[in-house]
Amino acid sequence: DLGFETNGATRMTITAAGKVGIGLAPTDGTLHVHTATAGTIAAGSWTDDLVVENSGSGGISIITPDANNAYVSFSSPSAQEGANIKWNFDAKDMELSTHNAASKITFSPGSEALAVTMLASGKVGVGIADPDGELHAHTGSAGSVTAYTNADEIVAEGGGESGISILSPDANHGYLVFGAASSNLAAYVKSHYNNGVLQIGTAKTGGNIKFRSGNDVEVMVLDETGLATFRQDVYITDLSAVGTDPL
């Protein structure tokens, strides 16, 4: 080994194997920058090309002017720029990106269990690797089914009881709103806990509310005047009688 000393202390060592240690010898990796020992631990063999060690907080700094990007780049023989972590102070932009047309970004906390997947198409899956829609929240498989293509912007899937909650204070409304290019409030469902009211409404002049059942058959239309039109006779029932005279 070859050691370099200042003030009577070895500051850098180059081993016979070509490894370089700054602040220690022998080294855990190809280049080991050592401020103080972190304890009884060695770098993993798959991540030992550069090792930074300290007995307290440790780190690596990439410093650039405010207007320029600071990069960490991941490359391979097939792609000089496979993936990047990039920061720009003036743009106030922290970017995590990939540069392969079919690539994805995954987040796997805990015991490397998949939590979030971001596909190249822009689709995001929470708890699922291949989301059906733009946002797919998955807590379990519902079976051999995929989301309806006309309603796949947000997909909530579970292996048992499943749903979406809209939570608001007791004194405020919770809304589900339907909008369009001509109006951001075309129709809505809203609930108010203190008033004990659930409302279904349209905000467009001339708008109707339609009820369909069975094989998507229209059974009732409620127009803006309050007139209700029924497809068949209407029966009024209670707990003690079923099938009374038609209304």
Side-chain angles (χ1 to χ4, degrees):
D1 294 351
L2 175 64
F4 295 84
E5 296 183 359
T6 62
N7 199 27
T10 301
R11 306 301 184 184
M12 183 172 75
T13 301
I14 302 175
T15 70
K19 294 181 178 182
V20 177
I22 298 177
L24 88 165
T27 70
D28 282 355
T30 304
L31 173 60
H32 192 155
V33 181
H34 183 277
T35 303
T37 181
T40 306
I41 185 173
S45 60
W46 60 97
T47 55
D48 64 354
D49 303 288
L50 170 61
V51 181
V52 177
E53 183 178 356
N54 199 352
S55 60
S57 298
I60 300 172
S61 294
I62 300 172
I63 302 173
T64 62
D66 289 352
N68 295 94
N69 295 320
Y71 283 95
V72 176
S73 187
F74 303 88
S75 306
S76 65
S78 296
Q80 184 185 45
E81 190 176 39
N84 286 323
I85 301 172
K86 181 179 71 174
W87 163 251
N88 187 292
F89 179 85
D90 281 354
K92 298 177 177 62
D93 181 27
M94 178 70 173
E95 179 182 299
L96 173 63
S97 62
T98 60
H99 295 267
N100 184 303
S103 60
K104 61 185 177 181
I105 296 173
T106 60
F107 297 88
S108 302
S111 300
E112 293 191 74
L114 177 65
V116 178
T117 302
M118 303 174 66
L119 302 183
S121 63
K123 293 181 178 180
V124 176
V126 179
I128 186 170
D130 188 18
D132 286 352
E134 300 307 303
L135 175 59
H136 190 160
H138 182 278
T139 57
S141 175
S144 299
V145 61
T146 56
Y148 180 49
T149 55
N150 287 349
D152 63 356
E153 279 71 31
I154 299 178
V155 181
E157 180 180 358
E161 305 290 343
S162 306
I164 299 173
S165 295
I166 299 174
L167 306 176
S168 61
D170 291 354
N172 297 93
H173 287 101
Y175 282 90
L176 177 61
V177 172
F178 303 88
S182 298
S183 173
N184 63 3
L185 179 61
Y188 59 87
V189 178
K190 68 178 181 178
S191 172
H192 194 288
Y193 179 83
N194 281 353
N195 293 343
V197 175
L198 174 68
Q199 296 182 28
I200 302 173
T202 61
K204 185 180 185 299
T205 301
N208 298 327
I209 298 175
K210 297 183 177 182
F211 295 86
R212 309 180 78 89
S213 68
N215 190 25
D216 198 28
V217 176
E218 185 176 297
V219 294
M220 174 183 166
V221 179
L222 181 64
D223 67 21
E224 65 177 339
T225 69
L227 178 65
T229 303
F230 298 88
R231 183 172 182 270
Q232 300 284 352
D233 292 336
V234 176
Y235 290 83
I236 299 177
T237 66
D238 58 29
L239 294 178
S240 60
V242 177
T244 61
D245 291 336
L247 181 67

